[in-house]
């Protein structure tokens, strides 16, 4: 079974950082929420992950079909739960692109990307989750 793994390490009283390949990402809370404002919140990173996974899958689908994509823009919007545990209750991707100009081609690429995106498939189907102390 293939696995992906990252490690996060504390870098300030309220922030953690991960180093993946040549990229570092900081996760923190805004000052107004008790953080240091050194990075985006985890939920924002989750939405970036969903949007980024969707885009890269769409690009791959277009390339494999010889379709040129230009001016792709994706707005990821999420609805927060009003009651219960803090969580997203809905996520929507608004997609625009300049090329291809045919809305049918774009809609086909959107459907393929949605079906092939690991992040979207995980959110849609749920997953087993655990957190435990590792000594």
């Amino acid at each position: 079974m293939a696995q992906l793994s990252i490690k996060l390490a504390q870098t300030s009283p309220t922030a953690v950082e991960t180093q993946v390949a040549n990229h570092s990402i900081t996760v923190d809370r805004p000052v107004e929420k008790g953080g240091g404002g050194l990075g985006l919140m985890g939920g924002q990173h989750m939405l970036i992950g969903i949007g980024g996974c969707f885009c890269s899958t769409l690009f791959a689908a277009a390339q494999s079909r010889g379709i040129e994509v230009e001016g792709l823009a994706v707005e990821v919007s999420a609805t927060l739960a009003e009651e219960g545990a803090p969580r997203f209750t809905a996520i929507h991707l608004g997609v625009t692109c300049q090329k291809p100009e045919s809305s049918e081609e774009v809609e086909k690429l959107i459907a393929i990307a949605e079906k092939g995106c690991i992040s979207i498939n995980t959110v849609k189907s749920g997953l087993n989750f655990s957190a435990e102390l590792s000594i």
Side-chain angles (χ1 to χ4, degrees), residues 1 7 13 24 28 30 44-45 50-51 57 63 76 79 102 111 119 128:
M1 178 182 322
K7 289 186 179 183
S24 63
D28 197 0
Q44 291 169 314
H45 283 286
I50 290 168
T57 306
Q63 288 173 347
V76 182
T79 304
S102 161
S119 297
N128 296 324

Side-chain angles (χ1 to χ4, degrees), residues 26-94:
T26 301
V27 181
D28 197 0
R29 297 176 67 76
V31 173
E32 59 271 13
K33 290 192 172 196
L38 300 174
L40 299 177
M41 294 184 296
Q44 291 169 314
H45 283 286
M46 180 179 173
L47 297 179
I48 291 169
I50 290 168
C53 182
F54 173 83
C55 290
S56 65
T57 306
L58 187 144
F59 289 142
Q63 288 173 347
S64 71
R65 288 160 180 77
I67 300 171
E68 187 177 350
V69 174
E70 288 182 9
L72 178 70
V74 176
E75 181 177 350
V76 182
S77 56
T79 304
L80 292 166
E82 292 183 21
E83 298 177 0
R87 67 193 186 287
F88 297 126
T89 58
I91 296 174
H92 173 77
L93 303 182

